[in-house]
Amino acid sequence: MIELIRTLTETYGPAGNETRIRQVLRDMVKGKVDELKVDALGNLIALRKGKGGRKVMLAAHMDEIGIVVNYVDEKGFLRFSALGGVFPHTLLGNRVEFENGVVGVIGVEKLESPDKVPTFDKLYIDVGAESREDCPVKVGDIGVFSRPLIAQGQRLIAKAFDDRIGCAVLVKLLEEIGDCEHDLYIVFTVQEELGLRGAVTSAYGIAPDVGIAVDVTRTGDTPEAPKMAVALGKGPAVKVKDARMISHPGVRQALIRAAEQNGIPYQLEVLEGGTTDAAAIQLTREGIPTGVISIPCRYIHTPSEMVDLRDVENAVRLLLAYLSSKELTE
Amino acid sequence: MNTFEVLKKLSEAPGVAGNESGVSQIVAEEFKKYVDELRTDALGNVIGLKKGTGPSSRRIMLAAHMDEIGLMVSEIEKGFIRFTTVGGIDDRILLGQEVIVHGLKPLPGIIASKPPHLLSPEERKKVTPKDQLFVDVGLPEEEVKALVRVGDFISFAAKCVRLQGDMASGKAFDDRASVAALVCCLEHLSQMKHRWDVYAVATSQEEMGLRGAVVSAYGIAPDLAIAIDVGFGDSLGLSDAETIKVGKGPAIAIGPNFHPALRETLVKIAQELEIPYQTEAIPGPSGTDAWAIQVSREGVPTALLSIPLRYMHTPVETLSLKDIERTGLLLAHFISRLEKFPPE
């Protein structure tokens, strides 16, 4: 499982430019599904046929946050802006890599007050170029955090667990699920970090009976963390509410029942900020009963996100248990 | 119908955005008296269809949201309940409120914090923020944990009271006053002829971002829509420009969210029938279900009637019952005259 997760987190795939990560995912799931297609926005949609049950959409987004180059100066330094929720304090001393493999260091101009976090206009990227002409990165190129995965006991540290860890859960699900009553539409969505855009179109196209997103959620278990009753290692979280949606009560209850009947540890999630693909899936067409399984994750949207492997494995078990039931809502 | 009685039933029912089942039962009972078909969709919208006489089967959607703002359990700490907010809650009104915690069974509780004597001088100057407040249901920790879970809803417990004249005060008048106006409209229509099919919708999750309106409008695919919501009523500290007058009839909104011909027709009918009305200018997003419905599918000509309401988003929202009745009457006459739209 760790190797699967490593491959997924270390692969390049910023929002809007998911070609590479999509190829990796396609190779992982082909042979395990009945149909495989890519829609106009780039969502990878895998269908595993069931035995006449419900149409279930399971979504994890494959895009990651990044930075987009908006200017290259005559000395070859790059100026950039955020692609998705990237914050300057996570960039200092950091490295980014581009699709062509070039790595850049984030530099900071001389600051008037060094005790304040600089704004984007004080930051630049240095790829070691000597001139604009010589620079191997051009305007419009997108960089992502450059970090390898580290496994330390049960804790994993990497970039882009948001939401490659959700992708890993769905890949693992396909490996482990045997016969299933339901038609499973496994969707690796694009552009979640730009506003759930891939989920909007893929859910419209599929028109599922039930939607489940698998994504990360914040925890309240770090020093001085804002209050939140979710901790690393205590099981996947069943979402009740986030900033944009309230999970369908029947789906939420069915997930809880699946966990309790199978002795799978779980937590209940009430998240004050942020949302997931589920918020978009829920509003598709005439409305879709939708829920979320969240992997607790510290330091989201930094180059060093942290999850607990047991939570990831239990999320797979929880999905298997949930999907083994005939009734997917209570 | 007895407007106050209907409003009181609607107002006092629990129905925080995302869990409207308490109030939706009451809405269903009221709608059932007048509609031909009734259903609840995947997001909990209650949709009543009152069929028209035809010959064409054109559809008008009336939308009033039945969800209310409220709270949700975020953590249980030493038997006290920490909470987060659902919808636009003003921290100023929380301390001292009576609430119902919807755990395994409904538990009456109160919102509390430190006594003023023990506040620091700094704390005294500020409104106590919600993360320093908690709900006390009066039970020991083990019993609270057995009955209450993270994610349980908490609703305000305020009763709906009759003030002097035709005024009433209570919680969740935003927007159940408009649901009452829908019931009033349906009652009138049961005594009138109308050609168009009428879809009366008590929408869900408006306070979470117009979510019920998005899916119900898609499902109904109406040819015309009117949202009914509340507008800021006049009171001390507000200018005339910011408010509409309580007791002077519904406001017919003007702005980019509203179809001009639809608006003008409503104005004309109000004038003809001498139903008092006001004008409310909304230059941008209206923040009402009308905003979502207008861009459903290929677009829907949409209007908004606003019932004047004082003290919005508090448990003592205050209005004139006559304004509810006038809104229902105007809607019914508009619908009974509907033939072609836009009119030639």
Side-chain angles (χ1 to χ4, degrees), chain A residues 194-232:
Chain A
L194 298 182
L196 322 179
R197 298 174 64 79
V200 170
T201 61
S202 56
Y204 186 91
I206 293 165
D209 298 313
V210 174
I212 303 283
V214 185
D215 208 329
V216 295
T217 192
R218 235 199 67 207
T219 67
D221 62 350
T222 53
E224 303 294 312
K227 286 197 179 301
M228 184 166 173
V230 172
L232 229 54

Side-chain angles (χ1 to χ4, degrees), chain B residues 11 69 93-94 97-98 156-160 169-172 311-318:
Chain B
S11 157
I69 55 173
I93 60 111
L94 289 174
Q97 287 297 340
E98 292 178 31
F156 293 110
K159 295 282 172 208
C160 176
S169 176
K171 75 169 176 79
Y311 326 124
M312 206 182 287
H313 282 204
T314 74
V316 292
E317 294 177 331
T318 298

Side-chain angles (χ1 to χ4, degrees), chain B residues 281-294:
Chain B
I282 303 179
S286 67
T288 69
D289 283 343
W291 191 245
I293 297 167
Q294 188 183 31

Side-chain angles (χ1 to χ4, degrees), chain B residues 148-170:
Chain B
V148 180
R149 305 196 70 183
V150 169
D152 285 346
F153 284 94
I154 305 172
S155 61
F156 293 110
K159 295 282 172 208
C160 176
V161 296
R162 189 83 199 245
L163 302 181
Q164 305 307 302
D166 78 322
M167 302 286 284
S169 176

Side-chain angles (χ1 to χ4, degrees), chain A residues 298-315:
Chain A
R298 291 178 185 161
Y299 323 118
I300 293 173
H301 283 205
T302 76
S304 301
E305 300 178 332
M306 185 187 288
V307 300
D308 188 300
L309 184 59
R310 291 165 294 193
D311 294 337
V312 182
E313 290 165 345
N314 282 321

